[in-house]
């Protein structure tokens, strides 16, 4: 996939050393092999393993294949670590493109968006708890909203309670 192609491209990507652009393929390869090549190869290998394990599992197969499928899913979770590399690339890109003031505004906006998303997740959890937890005879906080309000109104109340 993309990450395997990225490995090939990284062997051709120059870098700066002491203010000078290094374009020698041998120097580029040495630096890449010493720095981020091992994790890149590790993640590409994990991705290949996860695809192999996920395609083996499925309905009607024996327990070993099911365990291999579960292993493939666990490996997929490990592959999320690549997000850190993407974040590093994005940070370097914004340093080159945006001014200091624009980066500050972007960083502040990112923090606010992350907070709002976190509140959203907690509000959804509270709404879920209000709808699903308890016995059939138990009244939930969402019961009073079913007849008078839409699900969006219930969500807004849960969001408000999460903030408060």
């Amino acid at each position: 996939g993309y990450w395997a192609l990225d490995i090939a491209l990284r062997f051709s990507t120059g870098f700066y050393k002491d203010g000078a652009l290094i374009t020698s393929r041998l120097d580029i390869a040495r630096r890449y092999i010493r720095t981020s090549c091992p994790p890149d190869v590790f993640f590409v290998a994990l991705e290949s393993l996860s695809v192999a394990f996920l395609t083996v599992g499925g309905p009607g197969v024996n327990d070993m294949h099911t365990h291999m499928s579960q292993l493939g899913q666990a490996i997929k979770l490990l592959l999320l670590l690549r997000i850190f590399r993407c974040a590093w690339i994005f940070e370097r890109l914004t340093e080159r493109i945006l001014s200091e003031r624009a980066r500050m505004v972007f960083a502040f906006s990112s923090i606010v968006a992350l907070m709002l998303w976190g509140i959203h997740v907690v509000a959804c959890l509270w709404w879920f708890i209000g709808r699903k937890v308890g016995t059939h005879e138990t009244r939930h906080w969402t019961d009073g909203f079913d007849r008078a309000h839409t699900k969006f109104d219930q969500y807004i109340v849960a969001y408000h309670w999460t903030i408060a």
Side-chain angles (χ1 to χ4, degrees):
Y2 165 78
W3 296 102
L5 177 64
D6 183 55
I7 289 174
L9 291 176
R10 296 280 303 246
F11 278 104
S12 300
T13 305
F15 63 94
Y16 285 96
K17 182 177 180 181
D18 300 325
L21 178 62
I22 307 298
T23 58
S24 164
R25 291 202 185 260
L26 183 61
D27 291 337
I28 293 169
R30 283 183 184 153
R31 181 173 189 258
Y32 180 54
I33 289 170
R34 281 192 325 259
T35 57
S36 58
C37 184
D40 288 349
V41 169
F42 175 73
F43 285 126
V44 168
L46 279 181
E47 185 172 28
S48 300
L49 282 174
S50 72
V51 168
F53 288 149
L54 287 172
T55 56
V56 170
V61 295
N62 63 28
D63 287 340
M64 182 179 168
H65 288 119
T66 302
H67 290 300
M68 291 175 73
S69 176
Q70 291 171 347
L71 179 62
Q73 291 172 354
I75 290 172
K76 281 285 192 192
L77 288 175
L78 278 176
L79 291 173
L80 288 176
L81 294 174
R82 292 183 297 192
I83 291 174
F84 293 115
R85 175 144 175 246
C86 291
W88 179 81
I89 291 169
F90 184 73
E91 184 179 324
R92 296 296 169 257
L93 188 62
T94 57
E95 283 178 4
R96 292 182 183 175
I97 296 173
L98 300 177
S99 68
E100 181 69 26
R101 182 180 174 134
R103 285 196 311 263
M104 294 290 282
V105 169
F106 182 75
F108 178 76
S109 301
S110 298
I111 291 169
V112 169
L114 183 63
M115 288 173 51
L116 292 174
W117 180 80
I119 293 168
H120 162 76
V121 169
V122 173
C124 288
L125 287 172
W126 277 121
W127 185 85
F128 176 79
I129 289 169
R131 295 298 299 164
K132 305 296 180 190
V133 176
T135 63
H136 187 63
E137 297 85 28
T138 308
R139 282 190 48 88
H140 303 288
W141 72 266
T142 57
D143 290 342
F145 292 103
D146 280 345
R147 291 172 223 82
H149 300 287
T150 65
K151 289 193 187 316
F152 179 74
D153 292 333
Q154 294 174 22
Y155 168 78
I156 293 298
V157 170
Y159 199 89
H160 172 79
W161 286 358
T162 301
I163 293 172

